[in-house]
Amino acid sequence: MLNIVILATNLYVPLGVRLIKNLNRYYEGILPLRIYVYSNDNFFQFLPEDTKNVFWIPETHNSWQQATNSKFKNIKKTIKLFSLQDEEYLFYLDADTNINKPFEEHEIIEDLVGAEHHHHYIWKGDGSKMPFDRNPQSKSYVSPDSKLPAKYFQGAFFGGKIEYVKLFCDILINWQIEDRKIFYEPDVNDESYINKFFHITPPSKAILYDDFPFQVSCKGGISDQRIPKPANQEDIEKLIELKDTTISIIGGEIVRG
C-alpha cells in the first residue's frame, strides 16, 4: 500500500483538492494508493462520489506554525487510526504540491526518503549557506563545524516504509517537545528538525531535485495561505461545482482542469 498524508486546512483547501485529484489522475503504480487529508472542511463534498481511496480527518489549525508543526503528530495518528502496517509505505506531501505528469511508486519508495530542496544548487553544497538551525540550545541544531556532508532537504516531502517513518516521527516529535520547554521555535519550523535528522542519519534514498516528480510550492497564484482563516466561500462553491472534474489553479482562480 502507498499511503499519502496531506494537511489542507484553512486557505490550503483548494490546493489540497487539486493535489488529491492529481494524485489519482497521474499515479500509475502497482501498489494501491490511499490518501488521508486533514482539514477543517469536509473533503468528500469536493470529490466524485465514487472516490474510494480518500479519507478525511477533521482538523483545525489556528496558525500556520501550528499546521506545519503538526505533520509528524498527524502521520503517527494516521498510522494508528487506520491500522497501517510496518511493511506499507507512507509519505507526507505539502498541500501546495502540484503534479502534472504520470509517476510510479518506484520513483519515490525506499526505507526512508528525502528530496533535495529546490535551492540546493544555489547553495552548491556549501553548508554555511544552507538554512540549518544554528542555535546550540535547540534539538534541531546543526553545527557549522560539522564534518558530515552538507545536503538540505525539503520539508514538503518525506516518507518511506512505515516501520522507519514511525521511528523518524517519534524522534522529531520529542525534539519539538524539548524545544517548546525552552520556548524555542526554529526559523524554518518542521524543516529544521527534518534536516537535523537527515544530516546525522542520511535517508536511504535522497531524491535529486531534478529527479523529483512533483512541483513544490506551486500555489497557482493563491496568496496569504499562512493567514489562519477559512477558505473563501466562493472557492468552496467552485470546488463543489467542479467536484467531478480535475482542477487547476491559475492566477488564484480555480478552473476546470
Side-chain angles (χ1 to χ4, degrees):
M1 188 76 69
L2 179 62
N3 302 280
I4 304 290
V5 172
I6 300 166
L7 305 182
T9 52
N10 298 324
L11 294 174
Y12 280 85
V13 168
L15 295 165
V17 174
R18 181 190 65 180
L19 175 56
I20 288 172
K21 289 187 172 185
N22 283 341
L23 279 165
N24 279 331
R25 178 183 185 181
Y26 288 112
Y27 177 61
E28 296 182 350
I30 297 173
L31 292 176
L33 175 66
R34 296 178 75 178
I35 304 166
Y36 310 88
V37 56
Y38 288 78
S39 181
N40 46 300
D41 280 291
N42 184 342
F43 257 62
F44 297 134
Q45 65 183 319
F46 309 133
L47 302 172
E49 291 184 4
D50 61 353
T51 302
K52 304 298 183 185
N53 68 333
V54 176
F55 302 85
W56 168 57
I57 304 95
E59 176 92 340
T60 58
H61 293 131
N62 298 319
S63 70
W64 177 84
Q65 290 87 350
Q66 183 186 31
T68 194
N69 284 328
S70 73
K71 293 177 183 179
F72 315 125
K73 170 182 70 71
N74 282 327
I75 288 170
K76 290 291 300 294
K77 179 178 178 178
T78 303
I79 293 170
K80 182 176 181 180
L81 190 61
F82 294 93
S83 301
L84 305 185
Q85 301 302 304
D86 281 354
E87 65 273 12
E88 297 181 36
Y89 293 91
L90 183 147
F91 290 86
Y92 170 85
L93 281 175
D94 269 357
D96 60 1
T97 305
N98 196 21
I99 303 172
N100 60 8
K101 63 181 181 179
F103 73 99
E104 299 178 12
E105 71 268 44
H106 69 81
E107 298 178 60
I108 60 173
I109 64 171
E110 248 293 353
D111 287 345
L112 195 59
V113 184
E116 282 184 346
H117 193 277
H118 63 282
H119 285 160
H120 195 78
Y121 295 127
I122 296 175
W123 298 320
K124 300 184 185 301
D126 184 350
S128 67
K129 297 178 181 178
M130 298 176 188
F132 293 115
D133 191 338
R134 302 304 191 185
N135 179 0
Q137 294 183 303
S138 173
K139 292 297 182 180
S140 62
Y141 172 66
V142 174
S143 170
D145 299 321
S146 174
K147 304 304 181 184
L148 297 172
K151 187 182 287 288
Y152 197 85
F153 293 88
Q154 304 172 22
F157 166 89
F158 57 86
K161 192 169 286 187
I162 286 177
E163 175 185 358
Y164 300 100
V165 171
K166 286 193 296 188
L167 294 172
F168 172 82
C169 289
D170 282 341
I171 291 170
L172 272 58
I173 289 169
N174 285 334
W175 287 349
Q176 288 177 316
I177 291 171
E178 291 302 308
D179 275 355
R180 289 190 194 112
K181 290 179 182 178
I182 61 171
F183 304 101
Y184 181 71
E185 176 73 24
D187 286 342
V188 282
N189 314 100
D190 61 291
E191 193 171 86
S192 293
Y193 297 105
I194 292 168
N195 276 283
K196 167 63 177 290
F197 186 97
F198 284 155
H199 185 67
I200 61 177
T201 313
S204 49
K205 185 182 186 76
I207 303 174
L208 301 178
Y209 182 71
D210 284 348
D211 296 333
F212 192 58
F214 312 133
Q215 295 178 307
V216 180
S217 194
C218 180
K219 296 175 172 60
I222 293 180
S223 60
D224 300 327
Q225 297 95 340
R226 295 191 177 193
I227 297 175
K229 65 178 183 180
N232 300 322
Q233 185 58 35
E234 56 265 34
D235 287 347
I236 295 295
E237 293 172 1
K238 192 68 173 180
L239 291 170
I240 293 172
E241 176 189 339
L242 299 177
K243 64 180 295 184
D244 293 317
T245 73
T246 55
I247 63 168
S248 294
I249 302 175
I250 302 173
E253 299 294 324
I254 300 165
V255 298
R256 191 180 302 271

